[in-house]
Amino acid sequence: MKFKVRAASQFLDNVRRDLTRPHAFAFERVGFVYAREAVVDGGPSLLLPFAYAPVADAHYMPKEGVGACISGDAIREAMAFILREDACVLHTHMHENVGMPKFSRVDVRNYPGVVRAFQNTRPDRPHGALLLSRDAAVARVWPVGAAEPVMDSLVISVGRPMGIFSEGAIYG
Amino acid sequence: MSLPKDQLVIIKSVWPDAQLVEEGGKPFVLLASVRLPDRCTPKIVACLICPHERDGYPCRLFLSERVTGGKPVNWNTSTAIAERSWQAFSLKLSNPTPTLYDIAHHFLGALA
Amino acid sequence: MDDHSRQSFLNPQLDRAMKACKVGVIGLSGGGSHIVTQLAHYGFDRYVLCDPKTTERKHLHRMLGATIADAEASAPKVEVMERLIRGLRPHPEIQAFKGEWISCAAALKDCDVLFAAVDTVGARRDIEQFARKYAIALIDVGMDVSRANDGGYRVAGRVFASLPGGPCMQCAGFINNDMLAKEAAAYGMAGIRPQVVSVNGVVASAAVLYAIDLLTGKTGKVALPCFITFDAGSMTMGPHPYLSVVTSPCECFSSSEIGDARFVPIG
């Protein structure tokens, strides 16, 4: 099972704008991108972002050694949304470099727990993580019921210019 | 999806498999299996009640296939809604505010 | 081994983009056959093709790649285009559907760029709605022949690029409810739809260039018009005058309409 996350570049730029707002003490911001899953004939599963919710300032907690630590309430708000809207969710943050972003070791260590919470809430949908840079993006998506993510998901930013990204590669 | 509940209850009582469909931000009602008189081909079609303006018509009924053997109608539209192709014939209802049932009843009556 | 050295100035990563980007072409005759031919020459490798028709003699004056033998054998247009691509690309991935575009919607959803070369306003409306639902970049081409005031003919082509969030065909005044109503009222009376191979070629070239620009960002921040017209009489191409009244962002489609239609049982 492969995944393709395809979104309007305007949508991703709006998310970038939100994630670059400074926070009182956190070094980076976190948000949730909500997506609809579409069934594709002979291709990857398509995830189509349709909404974004930033984590509220009050849901950040001080923690050494990480860019941002968010509370259980923030996760619970995302869980409530996907339950209500029958949606997939991508935990989203941004590294402020140009070019391909790379998931950090902290990201890789923490995602399984967060994704498990989403899988428990909405087990019939894939969930995962989206990492943005200033001009690119990568995603890791956990298929339904999977303990491990699919590594070579594509992220397509549709606009002018278009971007086609997968971990380690920029197309276009 | 905002369609009057009382009208949906009536639709459900006549076509128990009726479903609401949201496409392009607008609501439709899908009747998955509507039986037509024996003289019609096919005898069973899916119908999509379109209670809002489309193609210059204030409301329409879309069918999964063009029907032959019924009353003569002017099939004038092929379209795509909810990842499926649909056919429609030309008919404007005299009632400016028809209920969902009115739409289905009058269009099906005009056809067979 | 591909040798695209003469187009490498476009973007060093264009080759990889063309391998990753899935393109769809709806309608494979006058406009579509030019588009497919150019995409294959550029080096695109992943296609969804659809057209319900078979090749006839009358198509030979405008359909690139079609032969007399294809017309005599009533070869499906999708097969002609598939053969053309395979003659230019060593390992293309082609999904070819002989049918109406909606019959292969489940495959078209995977396309990142979709070209539409269709005849009717209703089909344009439906395809654009489909493209918006799946966040696909849609590039529509077409041509018209109309009577000019001097009694002659005015031959014009146009390209409309509909990107998610950008102006749509209704915003730009390219299609409207009156046109849809008139088309429905006149259904079956369209008569012949004149096509001129060279005008098709001009607008198809502009459409493919637009797609290459999307993938390479070659023109950078220069604003490209989304609605381009070609007037064969004056040999000029430029932004459509309607663009001056376009409202942006598009208010016709909202992000909540993204994805497959939703079915909800009643009661």
Side-chain angles (χ1 to χ4, degrees):
Chain A
M1 166 74 73
K2 286 190 175 181
F3 290 93
K4 182 188 273 191
V5 179
R6 189 164 57 218
S9 55
Q10 286 178 0
F11 179 94
L12 295 177
D13 287 343
N14 286 340
V15 174
R16 286 187 179 97
R17 262 192 291 280
D18 179 75
L19 292 174
T20 47
R21 285 183 298 128
H23 184 270
F25 56 82
F27 292 107
E28 61 189 23
R29 280 190 177 268
V30 177
F32 295 102
V33 164
Y34 299 103
R36 303 239 179 261
E37 185 183 17
V39 180
V40 171
D41 187 11
S45 188
L46 196 56
L47 300 189
L48 301 159
F50 68 97
Y52 167 74
V55 168
D57 282 6
H59 290 332
Y60 288 84
M61 300 185 302
K63 188 174 179 182
E64 290 287 323
V66 297
C69 178
I70 59 173
S71 71
D73 284 345
I75 304 288
R76 276 186 285 278
E77 282 184 9
M79 291 161 73
F81 188 97
I82 60 173
L83 195 59
R84 190 173 66 243
E85 292 289 328
D86 185 13
C88 314
V89 60
L90 301 171
H91 175 288
T92 304
H93 73 295
M94 179 170 168
H95 292 169
E96 292 200 36
N97 59 297
V98 171
M100 287 302 292
K102 280 187 182 168
F103 289 108
S104 69
R105 263 181 275 177
V106 175
D107 294 335
V108 172
R109 193 172 62 236
N110 289 337
Y111 282 147
V114 176
V115 169
R116 205 170 306 121
F118 298 142
Q119 288 175 323
N120 290 338
T121 308
R122 191 94 236 176
D124 54 341
R125 296 290 176 207
H127 307 289
L130 178 67
L131 174 60
L132 303 170
S133 71
R134 287 193 174 279
D135 59 354
V138 288
R140 287 190 182 179
V141 181
W142 278 250
V144 169
E148 298 292 329
V150 174
M151 303 296 281
D152 55 351
S153 299
L154 281 173
V155 179
I156 316 283
S157 169
V158 183
R160 200 170 153 264
M162 279 182 75
I164 304 176
F165 314 108
S166 73
E167 281 196 66
I170 300 180
Y171 308 98
Chain B
M1 292 190 222
S2 56
L3 287 175
K5 272 194 178 167
D6 56 333
Q7 293 187 27
L8 290 170
V9 168
I10 293 169
I11 289 289
K12 177 87 175 166
S13 70
V14 180
W15 294 282
D17 61 356
Q19 285 184 296
L20 268 173
V21 183
E22 191 174 79
E23 162 86 345
K26 290 190 171 160
F28 297 81
V29 177
L30 173 67
L31 313 175
S33 178
V34 174
R35 185 155 197 92
L36 301 175
D38 281 350
R39 63 180 180 280
C40 295
T41 304
K43 291 181 179 55
I44 295 175
V45 289
C47 294
L48 193 66
I49 303 173
C50 172
H52 41 78
E53 195 279 335
R54 192 174 167 105
D55 308 327
Y57 293 84
C59 62
R60 300 201 88 172
L61 184 75
F62 293 99
L63 289 91
S64 51
E65 295 174 63
R66 293 189 177 191
V67 174
T68 58
K71 297 173 190 168
V73 292
N74 173 23
W75 293 97
N76 69 350
T77 302
S78 291
T79 193
I81 302 169
E83 295 87 66
R84 186 171 174 181
S85 67
W86 296 94
Q87 310 295 323
F89 55 89
S90 178
L91 180 68
K92 282 190 178 169
L93 303 188
S94 52
N95 180 352
T97 54
T99 64
L100 294 169
Y101 179 77
D102 289 340
I103 297 169
H105 178 70
H106 281 99
F107 273 82
L108 290 171
L111 182 63
Chain C
M1 187 72 175
D2 285 339
D3 180 4
H4 291 153
S5 52
R6 291 196 177 197
Q7 65 185 39
S8 61
F9 70 95
L10 287 169
N11 185 324
Q13 285 150 340
L14 177 61
D15 281 2
R16 294 201 323 187
M18 290 189 298
K19 283 180 171 51
C21 178
K22 189 176 251 191
V23 290
V25 185
I26 299 173
L28 299 173
S29 201
S33 65
H34 284 267
I35 289 167
V36 170
T37 304
Q38 292 197 22
L39 294 174
H41 278 291
Y42 263 107
F44 283 84
D45 267 336
R46 307 182 68 216
Y47 298 84
V48 179
L49 308 175
C50 58
D51 193 299
K53 294 182 180 160
T54 53
T55 314
E56 298 174 41
R57 282 258 176 186
K58 67 182 182 186
H59 300 134
L60 296 182
H61 77 99
R62 65 178 188 271
M63 183 178 166
L64 297 199
T67 64
I68 294 169
D70 291 327
E72 287 174 351
S74 298
K77 290 180 178 179
V78 287
E79 289 181 10
V80 175
M81 287 298 103
E82 181 168 354
R83 181 186 69 210
L84 188 148
I85 296 166
R86 292 192 188 282
L88 292 166
R89 302 297 308 155
H91 304 294
E93 175 194 316
I94 303 171
Q95 293 171 275
F97 297 88
K98 182 180 178 297
E100 297 296 339
W101 72 271
I102 194 65
S103 67
C104 58
L108 287 168
K109 288 176 201 174
D110 192 27
C111 293
D112 305 307
V113 179
L114 184 58
F115 294 90
V118 296
D119 288 330
T120 65
V121 182
R124 285 198 173 88
R125 183 264 318 269
D126 292 347
I127 292 169
E128 184 175 52
Q129 179 156 359
F130 176 84
R132 295 283 171 140
K133 282 172 57 173
Y134 297 103
I136 300 169
L138 170 66
I139 305 180
D140 176 275
V141 299
M143 65 158 288
D144 302 300
V145 178
S146 54
R147 278 277 182 193
N149 291 336
D150 61 5
Y153 289 98
R154 180 175 178 273
V155 182
R158 29 136 208 80
V159 178
F160 194 98
S162 177
L163 303 180
C168 72
M169 296 181 193
Q170 300 206 37
C171 293
F174 176 33
I175 63 176
N176 59 44
N177 286 339
D178 281 350
M179 291 177 193
L180 290 161
K182 279 182 188 154
E183 184 170 272
Y187 189 85
M189 295 187 288
I192 59 161
R193 294 191 167 93
Q195 295 283 317
V196 179
V197 65
S198 46
V199 176
N200 285 328
V202 171
V203 294
S205 296
V208 174
L209 270 176
Y210 206 108
I212 296 297
D213 177 80
L214 288 180
L215 287 170
T216 61
K218 199 63 194 167
T219 49
K221 294 191 188 305
V222 176
L224 271 189
C226 65
F227 192 3
I228 300 161
T229 56
F230 172 67
D231 178 52
S234 60
M235 295 278 185
T236 53
M237 181 173 268
H240 194 285
Y242 284 180
L243 278 178
S244 59
V245 293
V246 166
T247 56
S248 188
C250 171
E251 292 175 357
C252 307
F253 296 92
S254 82
S255 60
S256 64
E257 296 163 27
I258 283 274
D260 293 338
R262 284 187 285 170
F263 295 79
V264 182
I266 295 172

